Amino acid sequence: MSKGLFITGTGTDVGKTYVTALLIKTLRQAHYNAAYYKAAISGAPSVAAGDAGYVNRTAQINEPENLLVPYTFTHAVSPHLASKLEGITIEKETILNGWKQVTARYPYVTVEGSGGIICPIRHDTTACYNLEDIIQWFHLPCIIVGTIGLGSINSFVLTAHYMQSKHLPVKGLIINRYHGGIMEDDNIAMITERTGLPVLAVVKEGDTSLSADPHKLAALYEGV
Ligand SMILES: Nc1ncnc2c1ncn2[C@@H]1O[C@H](COP(=O)(O)OP(=O)(O)OP(=O)(O)O)[C@@H](O)[C@H]1O
Ligand SMILES: [Mg+2]
C-alpha cells in the first residue's frame, strides 16, 4: 500500500516546491522510492517549467512529468480562476485517476498544495473543491512549510489553527529561509508554543539537502 503526505504552506511562494524537492531527494537518497503529485499548477507555461518539473529534476524522480500533475494552467492565478479563464473544467475523477496512477507506481507520494491552505481548486454551480477536499479524498497527513521572519508567527499560527479547526491532521512544520538571529529564533519558539507542533526541519537559503533523518521523514507518511 502506498503512503502519502500533504505539503501546504503559509502562503504562495513560501518554498513548498523547494522544500518538497529536498524532502523527496532526501528520501530517495535513503532508498525510499518517493514521488510527487500536485493536482493543479498555475502560472506555468509547461509542465516541465512548473513545480512538477522542478521537483522531478531536483529529486531525480525521472518520471514523465504528466504523471505528476493532471492540470497545468498558464495564468498565474488560483486554479479555480485559471481553469475558468482557460476553458477547462477541473474534474474530481481526473485528480483521483492521476493519484491512483502515481500511488500504483510509488510507495511514498508527496502531494503539494496550491497556494496556502485556503485555495479554491474548482468553484462553479456544479461543484466546489478546495484543498481540504483533496486532503480528505487522499486521507493525507499534512505538514506546513513557511518562511521565517516578520509576520511568520501570524501566518504559521493562523494556518495551523485553521487546519486544526477543519480536523486536518498536521504532523509538524518546516521552517524555510532561516538566517538565524534573535527574531527568527523567537519566531520559531512562539510558533511551536502556540501551535503545539514540532519543527521537522529548518531550511536555509540555498540549501541543497534537508538536515533531517530520512527514516523519521518517511515515518510521517501514512497509508492512503
Ligand atoms: N531556501 C531557499 N533557498 C533559495 N531559494 C528558495 C528557497 N526557498 C524558496 N526559494 C525560491 O523561492 C521561490 C518560491 O519558492 P517555491 O516555488 O518553492 O514556492 P511555493 O510555495 O511552492 O510557491 P507556489 O505557491 O507557487 O507553489 C522559488 O524561486 C524558489 O526557488
Ligand atoms: Mg510550488
Side-chain angles (χ1 to χ4, degrees), residues 11-19 38 51 54 112-115 176-177 203-207:
T12 192
D13 273 343
V14 297
K16 294 182 303 296
T17 303
Y18 191 92
V19 168
K38 179 160 174 165
D51 293 357
Y54 176 82
E112 182 186 344
S114 304
N176 189 27
R177 293 199 133 137
V203 179
K204 296 192 184 118
E205 199 66 31
D207 272 2

Side-chain angles (χ1 to χ4, degrees), residues 143-155:
I143 63 176
I144 303 170
V145 172
T147 49
I148 199 74
L150 204 59
S152 62
I153 299 174
N154 183 60
S155 52

